[in-house]
Amino acid sequence: EVQLVQSGAEVKEPGESLKISCKGSGYTFTNYWIAWVRQMPGKGLEWMGIVHPGDSDTRYNPPFRGQVTISGDKSISTAYLQWRSLKASDTGMYYCARQRYGQSPADYWGQGTLVTVSS
Amino acid sequence: DIQMTQSPSSLSASVGDRVIISCRASQSVSSYLNWYQQKPGKAPKLLMYAVSSLQSGVPLRFSGSGSGTDFTLTISSLDPEDFATYYCQQSYSIPQTFGQGTKVEI
């Protein structure tokens, strides 16, 4: 069974760093891309970027480039989304999702990681 | 970036109704158009990909059509479990982009 299991909810203060994870199982992790999607409270879906764990090829949606780092570790079938310095506006739900190719749909999704940034 | 615009933003419908949701792209996305369903507190779920291909396990009352820039998702007979928010997405080019969503309410 294909599963993407994300790390748990986080509560952070502005300026803190954070790295959340997405562990894949039930399929060959290096054969699929992992995308990250943001959903701010009460809002729609925003595609942040994508990483190919096999070769670490990474693409970003321009508004998120420089604000987050997307990476993958094929040795433990895990993708990551990290921030160096969180802002209150980073508060939201973050989903990882699997894509077979860069132009494929996201066919399996993680359960989401809620990130709350507040002083 | 390719902008995706859905209409309507929300609709009220009854069980058994036929529901049509539209999605327009700011430029051609070929057939790289996907639909997702999201229920409150849950992750999105892939319904339809490549315009009209039904994801495994999705009921046949869902169908998709369109080409180029104009697409539709049709629910032939609304079921109680279909009350949710629906998003179109283009995967033609990076950044991939979603429509703003259509909330289907009772």
Side-chain angles (χ1 to χ4, degrees):
Chain A
E1 179 194 6
V2 173
Q3 284 192 305
L4 294 173
V5 179
Q6 298 185 229
S7 49
E10 302 274 1
V11 179
K12 293 288 189 179
E13 295 189 356
E16 290 190 308
S17 63
L18 176 64
K19 191 174 189 177
I20 62 175
S21 65
C22 168
K23 183 172 177 62
S25 62
Y27 71 100
T28 303
F29 191 68
T30 51
N31 285 354
Y32 289 77
W33 295 75
I34 295 289
W36 286 94
V37 175
R38 181 175 78 174
Q39 187 166 40
M40 297 176 77
K43 301 298 184 182
L45 305 172
E46 299 172 90
W47 190 89
M48 302 174 70
I50 197 167
V51 61
H52 193 284
D55 59 9
S56 297
D57 187 6
T58 310
R59 317 285 171 87
Y60 290 92
N61 188 350
F64 294 97
R65 182 183 294 277
Q67 307 305 306
V68 298
T69 301
I70 293 170
S71 61
D73 185 339
K74 61 185 179 183
S75 69
I76 53 172
S77 300
T78 300
Y80 299 99
L81 176 65
Q82 67 181 81
W83 295 259
R84 282 189 186 177
S85 180
L86 286 159
K87 311 180 192 68
S89 58
D90 292 317
T91 294
M93 183 69 82
Y94 293 84
Y95 295 102
C96 65
R98 185 186 84 158
Q99 295 183 218
R100 183 63 178 92
Y101 302 105
Q103 291 183 308
S104 300
D107 61 353
Y108 283 89
W109 293 65
Q111 83 277 19
T113 296
L114 180 62
V115 174
T116 304
V117 184
S118 174
S119 55
Chain B
D1 298 1
I2 298 176
Q3 307 303 317
M4 306 300 292
T5 304
Q6 289 181 233
S7 60
S9 295
S10 65
L11 65 90
S12 295
S14 300
V15 173
D17 284 354
R18 180 182 180 89
V19 169
I20 298 174
I21 299 169
S22 298
C23 177
R24 173 165 287 179
S26 60
Q27 64 189 77
S28 176
V29 298
S30 186
S31 60
Y32 295 98
L33 191 283
N34 314 304
W35 291 95
Y36 300 86
Q37 176 193 66
Q38 187 179 32
K39 296 183 178 179
K42 299 292 188 182
K45 169 189 169 185
L46 177 65
L47 287 181
M48 195 88 53
Y49 60 95
V51 180
S52 59
S53 295
L54 211 56
Q55 176 68 351
S56 175
V58 174
L60 293 175
R61 61 181 178 273
F62 289 93
S63 64
S65 64
S67 64
T69 60
D70 290 292
F71 304 90
T72 58
L73 173 71
T74 300
I75 310 172
S76 60
S77 178
L78 206 59
D79 186 273
E81 68 180 16
D82 300 336
F83 292 95
T85 300
Y86 294 85
Y87 294 92
C88 63
Q89 179 214 26
Q90 66 82 16
S91 52
Y92 177 71
S93 68
I94 287 174
Q96 297 180 6
T97 44
F98 293 90
Q100 81 278 16
T102 295
K103 187 173 184 179
V104 177
E105 300 175 293
I106 300 173

